[in-house]
Amino acid sequence: GNSVTQMEGPVTLSEEAFLTINCTYTATGYPSLFWYVQYPGEGLQLLLKATKADDKGSNKGFEATYRKETTSFHLEKGSVQVSDSAVYFCALYSGTYKYIFGTGTRLKVLA
Amino acid sequence: NAGVMQNPRHLVRRRGQEARLRCSPMKGHSHVYWYRQLPEEGLKFMVYLQKENIIDESGMPKERFSAEFPKEGPSILRIQQVVRGDSAAYFCASSPTEGGRGNTIYFGEGSWLTVV
């Protein structure tokens, strides 16, 4: 079946450090891939998405490239800020109206 | 355009009571999804509804849980005789069509249920 695997957290970085959060998936066909962010006590916000192989999604300095050959969608940011502290979820949609979420990766950025 | 509205945001219930969670989808959206997030876990699909119809409830526990999306009014997720294990965040999402390739579903801010 379809699944999403994220690197476990928490990830703790200093401000302005480079961020990578790994995400790999298993799916039949050609899924769409998403990154959602959840700030403490809040709901999920769509951060970025990619709908086909080699697409790059980007938003607020974050980016992720849909790599079909490695079935990956790693999230990156060149310089994190304290305000980026949150839980990040990788998700997959394969056309059956069910979104499959990873378990989330907590990011903590220290000033 | 208002987003997906959920209420209450926080709900405390004693074991054995009933919990009712409401979700008003975005304007023009007729497809509603409920997801549950247990502590330290990702979101898990519970149920997918269209107006007056349950399309897929394969993620719902077989007992005590029910969902509806009436012709008028919000979608309701109802949990009867709550137990401590029901403590979780319940997220509603909506979309204008059945989530299609590239379509995005829009999440509400969630309802946090605590069972004491």
Side-chain angles (χ1 to χ4, degrees):
Chain A
N2 298 336
S3 66
V4 173
T5 302
Q6 280 182 246
M7 65 186 285
E8 288 195 20
V11 174
T12 303
L13 296 173
S14 298
E15 210 165 22
E16 299 183 3
F18 184 87
L19 168 72
T20 299
I21 301 179
N22 290 341
C23 171
T24 57
Y25 67 90
T26 302
T28 54
Y30 303 94
S32 294
L33 301 172
F34 304 81
W35 277 99
Y36 283 86
V37 58
Q38 184 180 31
Y39 297 101
E42 298 185 12
L44 272 71
Q45 300 175 25
L46 177 66
L47 182 59
L48 53 85
K49 69 177 183 180
T51 58
K52 62 183 188 296
D54 300 325
D55 266 3
K56 178 184 284 188
S58 61
N59 185 25
K60 300 181 181 179
F62 291 90
E63 58 182 36
T65 302
Y66 187 158
R67 302 280 189 205
K68 194 171 189 307
E69 63 276 12
T70 55
T71 62
S72 65
F73 193 54
H74 304 322
L75 182 69
E76 296 181 335
K77 187 174 185 182
S79 176
V80 293
Q81 305 300 312
V82 173
S83 57
D84 294 327
S85 298
V87 180
Y88 292 81
F89 290 94
C90 186
L92 169 160
Y93 176 77
S94 62
T96 59
Y97 60 73
K98 295 178 188 176
Y99 283 69
I100 308 297
F101 285 85
T103 53
T105 302
R106 185 177 301 276
L107 170 65
K108 186 173 182 179
V109 180
L110 305 176
Chain B
N1 190 12
V4 178
M5 304 300 292
Q6 289 189 247
N7 70 82
R9 290 292 312 280
H10 298 277
L11 182 64
V12 179
R13 284 287 178 265
R14 296 186 184 280
R15 282 179 293 170
Q17 291 185 318
E18 178 180 288
R20 282 189 180 226
L21 310 177
R22 296 174 193 77
C23 169
S24 295
M26 288 180 71
K27 187 176 180 181
H29 289 194
S30 58
H31 301 252
V32 166
Y33 316 80
W34 285 93
Y35 284 75
R36 176 165 68 172
Q37 183 183 26
L38 293 170
E40 305 301 321
E41 294 188 16
L43 280 71
K44 296 287 192 327
F45 170 83
M46 298 182 75
V47 61
Y48 164 42
L49 310 103
Q50 295 178 25
K51 282 286 187 181
E52 300 185 275
N53 287 304
I54 296 174
I55 307 302
D56 183 340
E57 56 182 349
S58 60
M60 292 265 277
K62 292 288 184 284
E63 297 177 350
R64 302 186 297 107
F65 284 70
S66 62
E68 63 177 11
F69 188 17
K71 187 177 181 181
E72 301 292 337
S75 175
I76 307 284
L77 180 67
R78 182 184 180 203
I79 311 171
Q80 296 178 289
Q81 300 174 342
V82 296
V83 300
R84 288 220 170 104
D86 297 333
S87 295
Y90 292 83
F91 288 95
C92 174
S94 73
S95 65
T97 62
E98 179 177 305
R101 182 176 175 81
N103 275 9
T104 302
I105 62 174
Y106 298 87
F107 283 89
E109 294 194 330
S111 291
W112 269 259
L113 171 66
T114 302
V115 179
V116 297

